Amino acid sequence: MDGKQLRWHNIALISFVSVWGLGNVVNNYALQGLTVVTSWVLIMIFYFVPYTLSVGQLGSTFKDSAGGVSSWIRETSTKRLAYYAAWTYWVVHIPYLAQRPQGIILAASWLFKGNGDFVNTIDSKVISVVCLIIFLFFLWLSSKGLKVIKIMGNMAGTAMFIMSILFIILAVSAPALRGTISATSNMTHLSTYIPKINMSYLATISMLLFAVGGAEKISPYVNSTKNPAKEFPKGMIALTIMVAICALLGSVAMGILFDADHIPNDLMVNGSYQAFAKLGDFYGVGSFFVILYSLSNVLAQISVLAFSIDAPLKMLLSDADSEFIPEKLAKTNKNGTPVNGYIFTGILVSILIIVPSFGIGNMTELIKWMTSLNAIVMPMCYLWVFLAYMWINKKHEKFPSEYKFVKNPTVGYLIGLWCFVFTAIACVLGMVPKISYASNHSEYIFQLTMNVMTPIVLLVLGMIIPAIARRGNKNRK
């Protein structure tokens, strides 16, 4: 049977489900209001298109590899840099894992209480302890290889995708079908969509990159595509169009439901649930949409937590080079579970769950800050994608590809360089706390310190691990 069965529309749908979600719309609207419409257009043209099509060429070039970023770096550079790429990809999931229990608690609060007030009725330190217990429980479950959770999560992920599309359709149609009046009064004014370029705006760019990132996950599908040179780029163009439509219409939908000139302080935390609550009122179905979305989100958060504990760690350790990864860290039990790796993950995530609660007392602010931290850290792994793309263009004669984003290697190199520099600058600018996140000066300084120190500490750890490996190797000789 021919293995190349995927068509361009299959590629577009697979990648869309993995890249996009309602939270991308809500978070960026909460930060920028309707000016985010212009931001989306610019990001799509100057970042998302070259990003996805670069991934397509990398996947096609290294069709015999596992398709991971570290394997691309190993082929184009050195084993040491490949280790750092693998480390970066794993370590950026630490803040992501630290936030998942918050999402589970919030979704459960909306599911059982119909609101998100629970998170602010209890001290943030207590909530953080509950989050820690939840995380440790799922860390233990994940170590047992509980496949049921992942199966449920796949179903929940599909449901979340459907709810995201449903949100846009219902919200955009509400004025015509239900006669509702847009919450934002000046939606027809061009000035409403023009952002003011200042430090506050620049600090939000990393959230946009966080929203559109992750295209490298689809690279293994390049060579399962029928006629990849033609169909894969068509799939990527379709993905870009789908994401652009959802981003633009989703932002307009948010403007219909929430006044862009008076954005609620907790919109980043409760916005998606509040949006479905409003839609339930508009269409006369009460809390039906909120219950559906909350249930889907609880299951999806559980699955993401279990999957994100297991998959990135195994990606780091499965192809571990004893020169860089200590034998004890890579050691597995009879079930193939890297037990010490799980313990190491547990320690880092536990620290990141507990420590911030001592400097940020309000749980709403803590969740918003953690979302912002993820937007700073997660795009760091995209840097390796652009490095690999620059290097295959620099050594284009050595790395032929069935599909090429651009035929001129110099232009390709410059595109990779642009995306690399833009991503790096966005990550650095994202470290500046959003003023509304901090209730006082000391909290602002705490957030700034955590934003700067967290990625530094996580990356420095990656430099220490090889030293431990070398010592272990020397002791065994």
Side-chain angles (χ1 to χ4, degrees):
M1 182 178 178
D2 185 6
K4 297 191 173 187
Q5 296 297 314
L6 295 178
R7 301 297 304 273
W8 65 269
H9 47 85
N10 302 127
I11 290 293
L13 286 172
I14 291 169
S15 53
F16 182 72
V17 172
S18 66
V19 168
W20 196 248
L22 180 57
N24 297 326
V25 173
V26 175
N27 291 338
N28 284 285
Y29 182 84
L31 292 174
Q32 295 191 25
L34 280 172
T35 62
V36 77
V37 170
T38 301
S39 300
W40 282 128
V41 172
L42 296 175
I43 285 294
M44 294 299 162
I45 295 172
F46 295 107
Y47 189 82
F48 190 53
V49 170
Y51 174 29
T52 53
L53 297 182
S54 298
V55 165
Q57 184 171 340
L58 284 162
S60 181
T61 301
F62 304 112
K63 55 188 174 184
D64 296 324
S65 72
V69 177
S70 62
S71 64
W72 300 343
I73 297 296
R74 183 184 297 107
E75 294 291 334
T76 56
S77 185
T78 65
K79 291 193 300 181
R80 179 172 293 277
L81 285 180
Y83 156 73
Y84 284 122
W87 174 269
T88 305
Y89 188 85
W90 172 71
V91 86
V92 296
H93 283 82
I94 297 300
Y96 189 71
L97 288 171
Q99 191 180 21
R100 292 312 95 200
Q102 296 175 350
I104 292 172
I105 290 175
L106 186 64
S109 177
W110 276 93
L111 180 60
F112 296 111
K113 295 188 63 180
N115 59 59
D117 296 341
F118 172 75
V119 295
N120 287 321
T121 57
I122 300 176
D123 186 84
S124 63
K125 295 183 183 64
V126 176
I127 294 288
S128 293
V129 171
V130 176
C131 288
L132 178 59
I133 293 170
I134 291 172
F135 168 74
L136 293 176
F137 174 70
F138 283 103
L139 182 69
W140 174 77
L141 278 185
S142 189
S143 70
K144 303 297 180 184
L146 199 64
K147 294 182 180 179
V148 176
I149 287 180
K150 296 176 184 178
I151 293 171
M152 289 169 55
N154 288 335
M155 295 169 59
T158 303
M160 288 288 287
F161 164 67
I162 293 171
M163 293 298 292
S164 298
I165 302 300
L166 185 64
F167 159 75
I168 294 173
I169 294 172
L170 292 176
V172 173
S173 303
L177 296 180
R178 308 300 295 178
T180 56
I181 299 174
S182 297
T184 306
S185 59
N186 54 350
M187 289 188 69
T188 57
H189 297 175
L190 183 62
S191 58
T192 303
Y193 303 91
I194 307 301
K196 295 178 181 178
I197 309 300
N198 51 33
M199 194 60 203
S200 179
Y201 173 78
L202 294 175
T204 66
I205 293 175
S206 62
M207 190 68 74
L208 293 165
L209 304 195
F210 182 38
V212 299
E216 68 276 3
K217 296 174 186 175
I218 64 174
S219 59
Y221 295 105
V222 176
N223 293 288
S224 297
T225 306
K226 193 172 183 178
N227 194 355
K230 291 185 177 180
E231 298 237 350
F232 192 82
K234 283 174 67 177
M236 291 298 93
I237 292 169
L239 166 65
T240 305
I241 293 171
M242 290 163 67
V243 169
I245 290 173
C246 287
L248 297 175
L249 290 182
S251 299
V252 171
M254 289 296 291
I256 293 172
L257 300 176
F258 301 96
D259 187 351
D261 297 320
H262 301 91
I263 295 174
N265 185 53
D266 67 339
L267 191 67
M268 190 180 290
V269 178
N270 293 306
S272 54
Y273 301 97
Q274 292 169 345
F276 279 112
K278 286 176 179 284
L279 291 174
D281 291 338
F282 289 164
Y283 289 91
V285 294
S287 59
F288 178 68
F289 293 142
V290 172
I291 292 172
L292 280 182
Y293 182 75
S294 300
L295 182 60
S296 299
N297 210 4
V298 167
L299 297 177
Q301 294 282 355
I302 289 172
S303 173
V304 166
L305 180 55
F307 182 77
S308 297
I309 289 171
D310 188 66
L313 181 62
K314 286 186 176 176
M315 187 175 293
L316 172 66
L317 300 179
S318 61
D319 195 23
D321 191 315
S322 59
E323 185 181 345
F324 306 108
I325 301 289
E327 184 181 354
K328 286 186 177 180
L329 188 62
K331 186 178 180 180
T332 59
N333 62 15
K334 61 182 181 181
N335 298 320
T337 300
V339 178
N340 292 330
Y342 269 62
I343 293 172
F344 186 42
T345 301
I347 292 170
L348 293 180
V349 175
S350 298
I351 292 171
L352 201 52
I353 287 175
I354 295 298
V355 170
S357 65
F358 288 92
I360 306 174
N362 182 279
M363 198 61 198
T364 294
E365 300 302 321
L366 184 58
I367 293 174
K368 289 161 63 178
W369 170 75
M370 188 66 81
T371 304
S372 177
L373 179 65
N374 273 287
I376 297 166
V377 174
M378 191 62 75
M380 290 168 61
C381 64
Y382 311 157
L383 295 173
W384 294 104
V385 175
F386 302 128
L387 271 179
Y389 184 67
M390 289 162 63
W391 286 333
I392 64 169
N393 279 281
K394 188 175 182 180
K395 307 171 186 178
H396 62 95
E397 293 180 353
K398 183 181 178 182
F399 298 111
S401 175
E402 186 177 356
Y403 158 65
K404 290 188 176 182
F405 168 28
V406 289
K407 292 183 178 180
N408 188 309
T410 302
V411 174
Y413 185 90
L414 292 175
I415 289 173
L417 180 62
W418 152 253
C419 290
F420 181 92
V421 171
F422 184 72
T423 303
I425 291 174
C427 289
V428 173
L429 291 173
M431 293 178 182
V432 179
K434 288 63 179 175
I435 295 174
S436 62
Y437 285 20
S439 57
N440 53 58
H441 180 70
S442 62
E443 192 170 296
Y444 180 90
I445 296 299
F446 179 84
Q447 291 188 26
L448 178 60
T449 302
M450 289 292 292
N451 286 348
V452 174
M453 291 305 298
T454 300
I456 291 176
V457 169
L458 293 177
L459 293 179
V460 167
L461 274 174
M463 299 177 185
I464 294 173
I465 295 296
I468 298 173
R470 284 195 298 272
R471 179 180 295 180
N473 293 336
K474 187 181 295 185
N475 291 337
R476 283 193 296 274
K477 289 181 179 179

